[in-house]
């Protein structure tokens, strides 16, 4: 296991970051039970990076967050601006508007063996686990994946922005950033920068490559990655063997930066419609990790990169691992969660955040599928 952090990283001075127009930092929570994690995350991110450029924040939420709770989070990142936006109607209202066939399919997916039957919209809650043939996840998680795959690109709150830095609330900055991924994104006109690539994939047996073809009139045969670039082999033949061969690998979803104008292109919005489809509502298998990677892989592989390819190292801890461009993959820290790391090294390695954030660091680690 490599040392964490290494001396090379620690000895790099912290530069002054430029502020670029049209940039916003975005995340999503489900309800007030996520607020402790959110407060810890944004405090660390603000101290590690955003205290300099002071980009706006946008926080989506599904259930109601009180004004008092919002103001508490706002105060942590002040003077950065924060917008809060509810991302859906109440679940029962959404279900009431679904076509009967779609609702019947959802009921069948959510009726688990050994559980009491679900036959009405009033019986279904965000906590219910529903299968999609591959995953068995709560509706709340499935909605998050669907929202980030399709609906986020159409949100009016993002209309005036060009670049979105997405961060999951269980990704925690471990020290001040020495490089600025936004600068690279803007100056190189990238469509997608991602924390990692290829840790997960959608099986070809799911029919994913047919959905790609339906949107782009071609499908992915293979995406290759080396130290400096991505390349994609496509095939537009309607009988292409690629339609039945090879899984589609994903972006790692906890941290990425996207060119919103690129993802708002009509063909990419068509892809978002196609990947969710009439049968995709509240399913984990058609998720944001797939939805985000396909558009640049098909249209502009030269405009996508991982952080390790460009030498940017924000050292975010997620799922007990830290993304480090000095290594080929994420590595485990050797600590039993963020709180253990923070207690031992926070003051030494992250003095910029230790004083401000020590009262907000309450979450050690919560492993979840992402």
């Amino acid at each position: 296991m490599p040392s964490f952090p290494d001396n090379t990283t620690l000895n790099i001075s912290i530069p002054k970051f430029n502020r670029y127009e049209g940039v916003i930092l975005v995340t999503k929570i489900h309800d007030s039970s996520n607020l402790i994690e959110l407060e810890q995350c944004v405090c660390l991110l603000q101290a590690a990076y955003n205290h300099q450029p002071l980009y706006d924040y946008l926080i989506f939420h599904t259930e109601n967050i009180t004004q008092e709770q919002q103001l508490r989070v706002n105060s942590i990142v002040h003077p950065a601006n924060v917008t809060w936006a509810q991302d859906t109607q109440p679940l029962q209202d959404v279900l009431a508007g679904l076509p009967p066939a779609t609702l019947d399919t959802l009921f069948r997916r959510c009726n688990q063996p050994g559980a009491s039957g679900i036959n009405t919209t009033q019986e279904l809650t965000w906590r219910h686990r529903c299968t999609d043939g591959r995953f068995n996840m709560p509706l709340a998680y499935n909605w998050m994946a669907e929202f980030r795959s399709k609906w986020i690109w159409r949100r009016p709150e993002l209309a005036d922005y060009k670049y979105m830095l997405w961060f999951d609330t269980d990704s925690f900055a471990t020290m001040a950033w020495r490089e600025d991924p936004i600068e690279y994104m803007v100056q190189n006109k990238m469509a997608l920068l991602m924390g990692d690539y290829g840790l997960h994939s959608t099986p070809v047996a799911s029919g994913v490559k047919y959905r790609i073809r339906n949107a782009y009139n071609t499908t992915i045969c293979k995406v290759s990655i080396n130290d400096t670039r991505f390349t994609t082999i496509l095939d537009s033949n309607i009988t292409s063997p690629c339609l039945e061969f090879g899984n589609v690998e994903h972006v790692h979803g906890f941290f990425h930066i996207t060119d919103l104008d690129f993802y708002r292109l009509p063909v990419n919005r068509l892809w978002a419609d196609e990947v969710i489809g009439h049968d995709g509502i509240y399913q984990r298998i058609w998720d944001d990790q797939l939805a985000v990677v396909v558009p640049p892989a098909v249209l502009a592989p030269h405009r996508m990169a991982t952080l390790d390819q460009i030498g940017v190292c924000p050292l975010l801890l997620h799922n007990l691992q830290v993304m480090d461009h000095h290594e080929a993959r994420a590595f485990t820290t050797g600590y039993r969660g963020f709180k253990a790391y923070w207690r031992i090294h926070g003051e030494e390695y992250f003095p910029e955040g230790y004083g401000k954030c020590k009262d907000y660091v309450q979450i050690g680690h919560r492993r979840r599928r992402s």
Side-chain angles (χ1 to χ4, degrees):
M1 183 185 74
S3 61
F4 172 73
D6 64 30
N7 291 331
T8 302
T9 301
L10 284 174
N11 291 334
I12 298 175
S13 61
I14 301 171
K16 178 175 175 56
F17 297 134
N18 296 319
R19 177 183 169 88
Y20 292 91
E21 292 302 314
V23 177
I24 190 166
L25 314 184
V26 184
T27 193
K28 172 175 161 41
I29 61 174
H30 182 75
D31 58 23
S32 59
S33 68
N34 307 123
L35 286 172
I36 293 176
E37 182 177 77
L38 173 66
E39 291 172 0
Q40 175 175 319
C41 175
V42 297
C43 184
L44 295 166
L45 178 58
Q46 189 72 9
Y49 173 65
N50 198 44
H51 66 284
Q52 288 199 52
L54 291 176
Y55 293 127
D56 296 345
Y57 287 88
L58 172 57
I59 303 172
F60 289 108
H61 55 100
T62 300
E63 303 279 26
N64 184 55
I65 304 297
T66 68
Q67 184 178 29
E68 180 181 2
Q69 291 167 332
Q70 293 181 21
L71 290 174
R72 175 179 164 88
V73 175
N74 296 358
S75 69
I76 295 171
V77 300
H78 181 79
N81 294 320
V82 184
T83 298
W84 294 76
Q86 199 145 6
D87 54 49
T88 186
Q89 297 176 305
L91 178 60
Q92 273 64 44
D93 292 352
V94 176
L95 297 177
L98 292 179
T102 302
L103 193 60
D104 181 65
T105 299
L106 184 62
F107 284 158
R108 285 189 280 108
R109 287 179 36 230
C110 298
N111 277 312
Q112 301 296 303
S116 58
I118 298 171
N119 299 296
T120 71
T121 58
Q122 297 303 314
E123 294 175 307
L124 199 58
T125 71
W126 289 117
R127 306 292 178 187
H128 274 99
R129 286 182 172 267
C130 302
T131 183
D132 58 21
R134 186 183 183 199
F135 297 103
N136 182 25
M137 300 294 289
L139 278 184
Y141 193 99
N142 295 346
W143 164 243
M144 176 189 70
E146 179 182 333
F147 176 78
R148 291 171 56 180
S149 298
K150 177 177 180 178
W151 302 108
I152 194 168
W153 316 113
R154 303 153 197 232
R155 292 294 301 206
E157 298 88 355
L158 290 169
D160 294 332
Y161 295 92
K162 179 172 175 57
Y163 297 103
M164 177 178 71
L165 186 155
W166 176 275
F167 61 96
D168 282 1
T169 58
D170 63 347
S171 59
F172 304 128
T174 60
M175 64 175 60
W177 293 10
R178 269 64 176 176
E179 304 97 4
D180 184 2
I182 293 293
E183 181 174 74
Y184 187 93
M185 183 82 181
V186 174
Q187 292 187 354
N188 292 278
K189 298 181 173 58
M190 303 298 287
L192 171 65
L193 282 183
M194 48 194 147
D196 204 351
Y197 171 82
L199 296 182
H200 308 281
S201 63
T202 298
V204 67
S206 68
V208 60
K209 293 194 174 181
Y210 288 91
R211 297 190 184 217
I212 295 172
R213 188 188 66 183
N214 290 345
Y216 295 105
N217 293 318
T218 190
T219 199
I220 293 174
C221 292
K222 183 179 181 180
V223 178
S224 299
I225 177 175
N226 61 26
D227 290 342
T228 60
R229 65 191 179 110
F230 280 85
T231 55
T232 305
I233 298 174
L234 302 171
D235 191 342
S236 58
N237 192 318
I238 61 173
T239 60
S240 170
C242 296
L243 291 165
E244 302 288 348
F245 180 78
N247 298 339
V248 179
E249 294 184 314
H250 295 173
V251 59
H252 201 167
F254 77 93
F255 179 90
H256 52 69
I257 307 171
T258 48
D259 178 337
L260 291 168
D261 289 342
F262 175 78
Y263 283 86
R264 288 187 288 235
L265 290 173
V267 66
N268 291 331
R269 289 182 58 158
L270 176 61
W271 157 247
D273 290 335
E274 185 66 34
V275 71
I276 298 300
H278 69 277
D279 61 341
I281 183 171
Y282 298 149
Q283 294 193 55
R284 169 70 170 88
I285 189 171
W286 309 116
D287 69 356
D288 52 288
Q289 300 180 63
L290 167 69
V292 167
V293 80
V294 166
V298 173
L299 299 177
H302 62 288
R303 295 180 60 199
M304 59 189 286
T306 63
L307 295 181
D308 64 285
Q309 285 179 310
I310 66 171
V312 172
C313 184
L315 287 171
L316 298 173
L317 187 147
H318 174 77
N319 281 355
L320 289 183
Q321 294 184 316
V322 174
M323 308 307 298
D324 179 10
H325 73 73
H326 298 302
E327 301 297 320
R329 290 289 186 187
F331 63 84
T332 56
T333 65
Y335 303 104
R336 294 180 61 84
F338 184 82
K339 286 179 70 176
Y341 162 80
W342 184 260
R343 184 177 63 254
I344 297 169
H345 293 303
E347 188 171 14
E348 176 186 3
Y349 292 163
F350 196 0
E352 301 84 357
Y354 188 79
K356 179 176 181 179
C357 299
K358 63 181 180 181
D359 292 337
Y360 296 106
V361 174
Q362 301 183 48
I363 301 295
H365 175 68
R366 186 185 72 207
R367 183 174 293 276
R368 70 184 185 189
R369 305 181 84 141
S370 60

